[in-house]
Amino acid sequence: MAAKRPDHWTSKAYTTSAPFVPRLTSTVLSYLSPKPTDHILDLGCGDGVLTSQLASSVPSGRVLGLDASPSMIETARSSYLAHHPNLEFRIQDCTRLVEALASHPELDGQWDKVFSNAALHWIMRAPATRESVLAAAYAALKRGGTFVFEMGGAGNVAEVHTALIAALVAQGVPVLEAREASPWFFPSEDWMRTELEKVGFTVEKCEVEYRPTRMTDEKGGGLAGWVRLMGAEFLEKVEEERSEEAVGFVCELLESVVTREEDGSVWIGYVRLRAVAKKL
Ligand SMILES: C[S@@+](CC[C@H](N)C(=O)[O-])C[C@H]1O[C@@H](n2cnc3c(N)ncnc32)[C@H](O)[C@@H]1O
């Protein structure tokens, strides 16, 4: 049996440090363009903010959100199920989506749309899982169905990524190990287009947008909160009592890179990769 993964996610930390993730989605949602009868599968649905919006836009359809985090799924269920009879959430490690579809034939080949926002760069971190995740998205769709997603693309949050590696190295972690601690895979559009085509998709759109994103001003949020939540797997590489030192190091190192002169606001360099791919 696969080892149980630690759950780094909580809805509280997510809404304090990264509430913009489910909000900055107008482009990908316009590509999804839900029809009232659509059946939509949401991979890495998080705490369900966006998934519940999808459910509202398909009143005669159905939405299923899958996420590996028990904490996020618990929040999603308690926040949204009562208001949306066509919505369901399940705990599911999407790196094992192929197996999940095989053991739940009611999910296999049943979806008009497979959707994902800000999750595939986590789900596809391990090279061995990448092709199978895309193949599972393909298998889950009906013929004529569409896979629409947004994720981190090549160069996403490069300054924080680099600073996190530097913080580990500063605490004595060898550089190769520090790199390997990264929980993310940020592919280029060329890589993604090729891999989507390899599993059978016809790619209608595959594009990249540089979208600097402002950190929150919330207590417990800001850049430090973002680093604690999103960089949790890096921080596990240092002794627990020195974890805050590493967070402080990252913020200190980045201070002049991420702070805007005019108002002191803090921005990091998000790069979004979006695609629309058809199963013909
Ligand atoms: C940045 S959040 C995005 C959540 C949501 N899609 C949104 O737009 O708000 C990333 C989500 O990916 C989930 N995730 C990471 N690895 C996963 C995996 N292997 N399988 C399923 N979900 C995963 C996390 O638990 C987290 O909820």
Side-chain angles (χ1 to χ4, degrees), residues 5 9 14 22 44-46 67-69 92-95 117-119 122-123:
R5 301 151 45 101
W9 296 88
Y14 193 47
C45 63
D67 200 284
S69 162
Q92 173 66 48
D93 178 351
C94 290
T95 63
N117 181 54
W122 303 89
I123 297 169

Side-chain angles (χ1 to χ4, degrees), residues 210-257:
Y210 174 58
R211 196 201 62 201
T213 301
R214 186 178 174 162
M215 298 291 96
T216 70
D217 298 319
E218 297 280 313
K219 189 166 177 285
L223 178 61
W226 192 102
V227 167
R228 286 186 200 102
L229 174 66
M230 305 290 189
E233 286 164 66
F234 278 107
L235 298 173
E236 277 176 356
K237 283 278 160 195
V238 302
E239 287 165 31
E240 208 176 334
E241 54 278 16
R242 296 191 65 195
S243 171
E244 275 306 295
E245 199 184 304
V247 174
F249 182 96
V250 169
C251 296
E252 194 63 28
L253 202 63
L254 290 177
E255 169 80 27
S256 59
V257 176

